[in-house]
C-alpha cells in the first residue's frame, strides 16, 4: 500500500532532519550518562563503600539499563524510519502495510508501525 498522499517531499525532508537530530540527541544522552558515571568512578572509586551505597548503585544501574533498552529500541526505530525514507516507504507500517497517520509521524517521526502495531510489539516484550 502506498504512503498517504499528504506526505509531501518537503514533509519527508523535514522528517529526515528531525530524525537525524533525534538520533544525535538519544545517542548523545547515553554518552553523557556513561561519561558522568566514568567520571564519578574515577573520582570516588577508591572510597570505602557501604552496603547502602552498593544497593543504591544496583538500583541506579537497573534504571539505567531499562533506559538503555528503551533508547536502543528508539535508535533502531529512528534508523528504520531513515531507511524507509530512502526506500520511499516512509509513512507505511512495516507490519501491516497500512498508512501511518501524518499526525502520528509529526508527534513521533520515528514511527514505523501504526499505533496498533506498536501496542502489539509492547505486549510481546
Amino acid at each position: 500500500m502506498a504512503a498517504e498522499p499528504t506526505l509531501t517531499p518537503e514533509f519527508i525532508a523535514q522528517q529526515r532532519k528531525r530524525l537525524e537530530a533525534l538520533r544525535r540527541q538519544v545517542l548523545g544522552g547515553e554518552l553523557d550518562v556513561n561519561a558522568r558515571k566514568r567520571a564519578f568512578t574515577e573520582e570516588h572509586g577508591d572510597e570505602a563503600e557501604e552496603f547502602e551505597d552498593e544497593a543504591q548503585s544496583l538500583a541506579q544501574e537497573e534504571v539505567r539499563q531499562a533506559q538503555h533498552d528503551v533508547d536502543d529500541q528508539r535508535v533502531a526505530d529512528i534508523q528504520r524510519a531513515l531507511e524507509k525514507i530512502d526506500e520511499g516507504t516512509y509513512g507505511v507500517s512495516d507490519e501491516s502495510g497500512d498508512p501511518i497517520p501524518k499526525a502520528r509521524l509529526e508527534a513521533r517521526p520515528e514511527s514505523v508501525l501504526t499505533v496498533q502495531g506498536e501496542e502489539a510489539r509492547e505486549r510481546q516484550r
Side-chain angles (χ1 to χ4, degrees):
M1 180 176 275
E4 289 183 329
T6 56
L7 300 184
T8 65
E10 294 80 14
F11 176 79
I12 292 173
Q14 174 189 3
Q15 293 297 88
R16 178 187 295 279
K17 288 179 185 171
R18 290 182 65 206
L19 286 161
E20 290 169 347
L22 191 57
R23 180 174 53 189
R24 284 190 301 275
Q25 178 185 351
V26 172
L27 291 174
E30 184 156 317
L31 294 174
D32 288 346
V33 167
N34 290 338
R36 283 196 304 271
K37 185 176 177 183
R38 195 170 36 256
F40 181 85
T41 301
E42 288 172 3
E43 187 176 326
H44 302 285
D46 293 336
E47 294 177 8
E49 244 186 70
E50 300 290 327
F51 175 74
E52 291 81 10
D53 293 339
E54 186 177 333
Q56 184 177 7
S57 291
L58 289 173
Q60 288 172 339
E61 180 61 23
E62 189 174 313
V63 169
R64 192 194 68 73
Q65 185 60 48
Q67 184 62 50
H68 174 77
D69 293 346
V70 168
D71 288 348
D72 274 356
Q73 183 61 60
R74 193 152 192 217
V75 169
D77 286 346
I78 291 167
Q79 190 59 42
R80 180 63 187 131
L82 288 167
E83 290 170 5
K84 289 176 74 65
I85 288 173
D86 291 340
E87 295 168 357
T89 61
Y90 183 72
V92 177
S93 173
D94 271 349
E95 289 187 2
S96 67
D98 293 337
I100 299 170
K102 185 176 180 183
R104 177 166 168 73
L105 295 171
E106 289 171 336
R108 222 182 114 119
E110 71 273 22
S111 296
V112 295
L113 303 172
T114 60
V115 171
Q116 296 81 7
E118 189 84 27
E119 288 170 350
R121 179 168 75 178
E122 288 299 316
R123 282 192 300 274
Q124 291 174 353
R125 285 187 175 175

